[in-house]
Amino acid sequence: MFTLGFALFAMFFGAGNLILPPFIGLEAGSFWVYAIIGFGITGILGPFLGLLSIIKTGESFTDLGNKVHPYFSIILGSAIMLCIGPLIAVPRTGSLTYEMALLKFFPTMKPFIGSSIFFTITLLLCLSKSKVVDIIGNVLTPVLLVILGYLIITGILNPPNTQLHSNADANAIFTFSFIEGYQTLDVLASVIFAGIIIAAIKSKGFETPKERTKTALYAGIIAIVSLFFVYGGLIYLGATSGYESEEISRPVLLNHIAHTLLGSSSSFLLSICIALACLTTAIALTGAVAGFFEQITKGKIPYKVGVFGCTILAFVLSIQSVDEIIAFAVPILLFVYPIIFILILIEVFVGKFIRTKAPYFAAILVTTLITTLGLLENVGLSNEFFIRLRNALPLRKYELEWLIPSAVTLIIFMMLERLKSKKIKH
């Protein structure tokens, strides 16, 4: 259970995610508990439910996506891979390495040079499928966790600032943290890479769906507790950091906290570990994206072409700052996340009561229409009528306006499904 639990933790724990919680904590101030709850739902609980939805359905995202339509699996699967690949996650690893590590050693280095170095190494190691990546990953993760553990415990025992305040209310902090949790991309990753954990569970001798679910539940608890310690601790460190300036980037804040609590030498070591962890993440995700598109196109997009395409696009986007990449990602994630979230929630909580595709399709369609309104508004293409319509939906202030309409639609179609079933029987 502990082996699988820490494997699951490693799957969700990404170096690129470490810059998110401290910034949330800084914004939250005295409302840091609300921040942990909001971020915990989308950054910790959500990914676990994503894994559980695949285990209950089959062994891959295709099994879950086919509940709606086979084409849906391909379309949404492609969107997810682009998000966790060249559009958001991979560029962020390159930009974060530049801001967290390369600038410390080479203060005059330009972003173009830093990204060129990072993605040249990524490309070469992806194509060679070198064992170096596995070796670095196996050694690096424990070292990084030890440093983070020490950082968090030090910050909890000796917080630089205990006079906390916030410029926002609890509801605003919860919503901000909830949406910031989207930036982990872990819910999207969970449904794609669940097959790795499922294969590990099966290799331990748990073959039946019931056994797999029970095993995943216990392993998930271990992973959730571990993630809660890391993310929750970092949120608290951000809240108590004592940083006064309102204009600060996420990487600069993490560097500031590490330098304040650990001193210059240890903060340098943390930066190097994060940079190497970002490199291994970039290599793994680039290879996964290339493999995915090779599979769905049946070889028409070969692995090497996919690697080149992913690397080049990620390189172009990585020349931006980390905060610019995060801002660019917001409209995309506000569109994609609710669609996959509602599918996960349906499967985990009521999937066993649904016999046809209609309830899945109807709920997903309603979610997609509502998130499309949000996407149009976020990119400035909406009009006053659609904005007012979206604002009138329940839970709008929490960015959950899609939840109740989708749930009501689901219930209606489930009732229609049951009535139709009774008529056939009679």
Side-chain angles (χ1 to χ4, degrees), residues 246-257:
E246 294 183 5
E247 294 293 328
I248 184 173
S249 72
R250 290 164 177 82
V252 168
L253 177 60
L254 182 58
N255 267 323
H256 167 78
I257 291 170

Side-chain angles (χ1 to χ4, degrees), residues 3-299:
T3 302
L4 292 172
F6 286 117
L8 188 57
F9 167 77
M11 188 172 85
F12 294 143
F13 173 77
N17 298 342
L18 294 179
I19 57 168
L20 302 172
F23 187 78
I24 294 171
L26 183 66
E27 294 287 316
S30 56
F31 295 118
W32 59 270
V33 173
Y34 291 87
I36 290 176
I37 294 170
F39 189 78
I41 291 171
T42 46
I44 301 175
L45 182 61
F48 172 62
L49 292 178
L51 170 69
L52 209 58
S53 70
I54 303 298
I55 289 174
K56 288 171 70 68
T57 309
E59 297 185 4
S60 70
F61 175 70
T62 302
D63 297 317
L64 180 61
N66 286 347
K67 296 266 186 173
V68 183
H69 194 279
Y71 287 144
F72 178 80
S73 292
I74 296 172
I75 294 169
L76 188 59
S78 298
I80 290 171
M81 292 305 292
L82 289 172
C83 287
I84 65 175
L87 289 184
I88 302 172
V90 177
R92 198 168 71 192
T93 59
S95 185
L96 182 59
T97 299
Y98 168 74
E99 292 184 38
M100 282 289 296
L102 293 177
L103 274 181
K104 277 193 172 184
F105 294 97
F106 309 101
T108 59
M109 180 181 283
K110 300 297 182 185
F112 178 86
I113 302 299
S115 290
S116 297
I117 295 169
F118 183 87
F119 285 106
T120 298
I121 297 171
T122 300
L123 179 66
L124 292 174
L125 290 177
C126 263
L127 292 176
S128 67
K129 296 183 179 180
S130 171
K131 292 284 185 183
V132 172
V133 180
D134 293 331
I135 294 168
I136 292 174
N138 291 335
V139 173
L140 188 67
T141 301
V143 172
L144 182 56
L145 286 176
V146 168
I147 297 172
L148 284 173
Y150 180 63
L151 175 71
I152 291 167
I153 292 169
T154 302
I156 291 172
L157 296 177
N158 301 291
N161 174 43
T162 55
Q163 302 299 315
L164 306 181
H165 67 277
S166 177
N167 295 323
D169 61 24
N171 287 336
I173 292 300
F174 173 85
T175 303
F176 170 71
S177 306
F178 185 91
I179 299 303
E180 195 79 354
Y182 287 0
Q183 295 284 352
T184 66
L185 302 170
D186 282 343
V187 169
L188 307 186
S190 69
V191 295
I192 295 294
F193 298 131
I196 298 169
I197 298 297
I198 292 171
I201 291 172
K202 289 178 71 175
S203 72
K204 302 293 182 183
F206 302 102
E207 292 290 340
T208 68
K210 185 177 180 180
E211 288 178 330
R212 293 205 301 262
T213 302
K214 183 180 177 182
T215 306
L217 189 62
Y218 287 125
I221 291 170
I222 294 167
I224 285 172
V225 170
S226 302
L227 287 169
F228 179 82
F229 172 74
V230 174
Y231 291 153
L234 288 171
I235 286 174
Y236 181 75
L237 294 192
T240 58
S241 64
Y243 204 91
E244 296 294 336
S245 173
E246 294 183 5
E247 294 293 328
I248 184 173
S249 72
R250 290 164 177 82
V252 168
L253 177 60
L254 182 58
N255 267 323
H256 167 78
I257 291 170
H259 187 271
T260 301
L261 295 174
L262 302 181
S264 58
S265 58
S266 294
S267 70
F268 268 98
L269 179 60
L270 176 63
S271 294
I272 293 169
C273 286
I274 288 175
L276 289 172
C278 282
L279 180 63
T280 58
T281 300
I283 293 164
L285 291 178
T286 300
V289 169
F292 175 84
F293 284 106
E294 182 180 47
Q295 182 182 7
I296 66 167
T297 61
K298 298 179 180 177

Side-chain angles (χ1 to χ4, degrees), residues 399-411:
E399 294 285 350
L400 289 167
E401 66 273 12
W402 47 272
L403 184 58
I404 291 178
S406 302
V408 170
T409 303
L410 177 70
I411 291 167

